[in-house]
Amino acid sequence: YVSLGIGGSYLGIEATIKALTHTHFNALSREERGGAPEIYFLGQNMDPDFFRDTLDCLRGKRVGVNVISKSGTTTETAIAFRILRRLLEQSHGEAARELIFATTDERKGALRTLADQMGLQTFVVPDNIGGRFSVLSDVGLVGIAVAGIDIKEFVAGFAAMKRRTDGDDLWDNPAMLHAAARTLAYRRGKKVEVVATNSVALSNVARYMEQLFPESEGHGGKGLWVSPSVYSEKLHANGQMVQQGERNILETFLSLGAYDSAVEIPADPKDLDGLNYLPEADRDMAFINGLVVDGPAYAHFQGGVPNMTVTVPARNAYCLGQLYYMMERSVAISGTLLGHNPFIQPGAVAYKKAIFALAGKPGHEASAAEMKTEMASRGQVVVE
Ligand code: PA5
């Protein structure tokens, strides 16, 4: 199953599947995957090596494609779709259309026209829902269901958090609390929010937040940058900056409460590394991983980094649905407090126009000439 899309038509789906399935999902047998197909993502970048390597994994397999684009005109998705469509048509002829779904606007856009002409099965991106808020619509639910994840539980999680965040009590409203803390920190000079998780499974959820917040908040010279991080890894990289660099950082921890696996730390008769105190006290890897949030939370706060911890009790669809709804609602509040509409992203269009001009798309000749002059005046560093 190949999911084609970018931004809101990609990140939430990948984040959910990675959060709730085996780390090496595609390497498992079909039986071990609970009957689900291997799942790949394309169209999220235009790197030919990545594209080719992914196509290599599809060789000799029966491939189904879901092309997802609300606008139906996004260049990366459209190019990826063109290539996959051609490959499917080469091997299946007319029957290729039975292996393709399109997820797009109900009535308008190039993808809608193409889907109708080809007679594809379609799913709908609702008109009033922006890409990064669409994981609860067909955009997210189809791919998530393909992975065998319980979408009823996912929806129930959203509904539960909606009920909880409808209330006015700040301390019992996680979305309001998260938005308030970020807004206050921003007003006091914090410019970067490190979203750090101690769960590799949740690392793509932090990446989803990297889109959700900056694409909604980054208007008019304002907004917090979101930096997704997996701890411990990053503690040995930019952790130095978080502790002692410029004091413009706040931190939100996504802490996983319970793991699917238990890994014991073995006792060692020689104890040269001095770790025997851990197994002697029945402390396993999950115990240490909990400290990978608590330790930095304490140390970074002492170092001048305000932080908060959002605990995700377990890796299940219900908890994740709650987290997504909380974050979507949080950014709706914080974006509005910044004084603009968080549901639009006019800035994301500028690069698209520049690419059209540089690629020679008809109708963009004037800006192409202007850009070529500007680009020619730039110095370049070439690694030889
Ligand atoms: O959140 C958004 O609106 C964007 O990130 C879009 O999802 C992204 O640009 C892809 O757009 P489309 O689905 O129209 O191809």
Side-chain angles (χ1 to χ4, degrees):
Y1 177 81
V2 187
S3 185
L4 307 180
I6 191 167
S9 294
Y10 152 63
L11 283 158
I13 315 163
E14 185 182 57
T16 311
I17 293 175
K18 297 245 174 193
L20 302 182
T21 64
H22 192 284
T23 308
H24 305 290
F25 187 75
N26 287 344
L28 302 179
S29 68
R30 183 142 196 156
E31 202 186 357
E32 287 167 325
R33 290 194 303 270
E38 292 172 30
I39 297 179
Y40 296 92
F41 294 91
L42 282 173
Q44 74 278 48
N45 62 60
M46 284 286 96
D47 175 348
D49 291 342
F50 176 80
F51 208 95
R52 169 54 59 198
D53 290 354
T54 306
L55 292 186
D56 284 345
C57 296
L58 307 181
R59 199 175 295 133
K61 292 174 184 160
R62 189 157 188 270
V63 173
V65 169
N66 184 2
V67 50
I68 309 170
S69 178
K70 178 176 164 126
S71 62
T73 52
T74 301
T75 308
E76 293 86 343
T77 309
I79 290 175
F81 184 41
R82 220 177 233 233
I83 296 167
L84 266 293
R85 205 171 76 225
R86 196 187 55 178
L87 289 174
L88 287 181
E89 284 169 354
Q90 277 166 352
S91 47
H92 298 276
E94 272 283 291
R97 65 178 180 182
E98 283 157 31
L99 299 168
I100 304 173
F101 304 140
T103 307
T104 191
D105 190 273
E106 196 168 10
R107 281 177 293 275
K108 57 184 187 304
L111 182 56
R112 166 53 58 189
T113 310
L114 186 65
D116 288 346
Q117 279 175 6
M118 287 180 71
L120 300 181
Q121 160 139 12
T122 58
F123 294 96
V124 170
V125 189
D127 230 2
N128 58 348
I129 298 182
R132 59 197 170 281
F133 297 92
S134 68
V135 69
L136 186 66
S137 74
D138 286 359
V139 170
L141 294 179
V142 173
I144 294 168
V146 166
I149 293 165
D150 187 339
I151 54 175
K152 285 193 180 148
E153 280 295 298
F154 190 60
V155 173
F158 272 80
M161 186 56 83
K162 178 177 181 332
R163 281 193 298 278
R164 188 163 169 201
T165 54
D166 276 344
D168 282 345
D169 178 356
L170 176 70
W171 296 103
D172 194 36
N173 183 330
M176 223 197 292
L177 207 50
H178 186 244
R182 293 175 82 254
T183 301
L184 282 176
Y186 180 70
R187 289 182 183 171
R188 292 179 188 182
K190 306 302 179 193
K191 302 290 182 228
V192 178
E193 181 189 24
V194 173
V195 176
T197 179
N198 59 347
S199 159
V200 174
L202 294 182
S203 62
N204 280 274
V205 175
R207 281 201 338 129
Y208 157 79
M209 286 170 63
E210 183 189 23
Q211 181 210 18
L212 182 63
F213 286 86
E215 202 170 32
S216 307
E217 290 185 339
H219 294 243
K222 297 185 205 157
L224 268 167
W225 180 256
V226 169
S227 172
S229 292
V230 178
Y231 288 176
S232 300
E233 275 178 52
K234 285 283 182 81
L235 292 170
H236 297 254
N238 64 13
Q240 170 63 30
M241 177 70 96
V242 178
Q243 189 70 43
Q244 292 185 333
E246 189 175 346
R247 300 299 71 197
N248 60 356
I249 299 170
L250 84 146
E251 204 171 19
T252 297
F253 291 101
L254 295 182
S255 175
L256 186 59
Y259 302 86
D260 295 349
S261 318
V263 178
E264 274 182 29
I265 301 168
D268 184 306
K270 292 198 179 130
D271 196 27
L272 292 178
D273 52 14
L275 287 176
N276 271 357
Y277 74 98
L278 292 170
E280 278 160 14
D282 269 341
R283 291 179 164 165
D284 65 359
M285 195 179 279
F287 172 80
I288 300 293
N289 205 36
L291 304 185
V292 166
V293 166
D294 295 346
Y298 173 80
H300 293 169
F301 184 68
Q302 300 305 313
V305 175
N307 59 66
M308 57 191 141
T309 300
V310 178
T311 298
V312 180
R315 286 173 65 190
N316 62 46
Y318 182 68
C319 291
L320 210 60
Q322 289 188 60
L323 182 69
Y324 285 159
Y325 186 82
M326 171 190 159
M327 293 305 172
E328 289 186 19
R329 193 154 185 161
S330 169
V331 80
I333 299 169
S334 61
T336 304
L337 288 174
L338 285 171
H340 59 251
N341 177 358
F343 301 109
I344 56 170
Q345 61 290 326
V349 177
Y351 99 91
K352 294 186 185 175
K353 289 191 180 151
I355 286 188
F356 286 157
L358 291 171
K361 186 170 180 173
H364 294 263
E365 293 78 4
S367 31
E370 194 184 313
M371 284 177 71
K372 275 188 187 134
T373 317
E374 148 76 15
M375 299 301 279
S377 70
R378 293 185 173 216
Q380 289 207 19
V381 177
V382 179
V383 179
E384 289 175 4

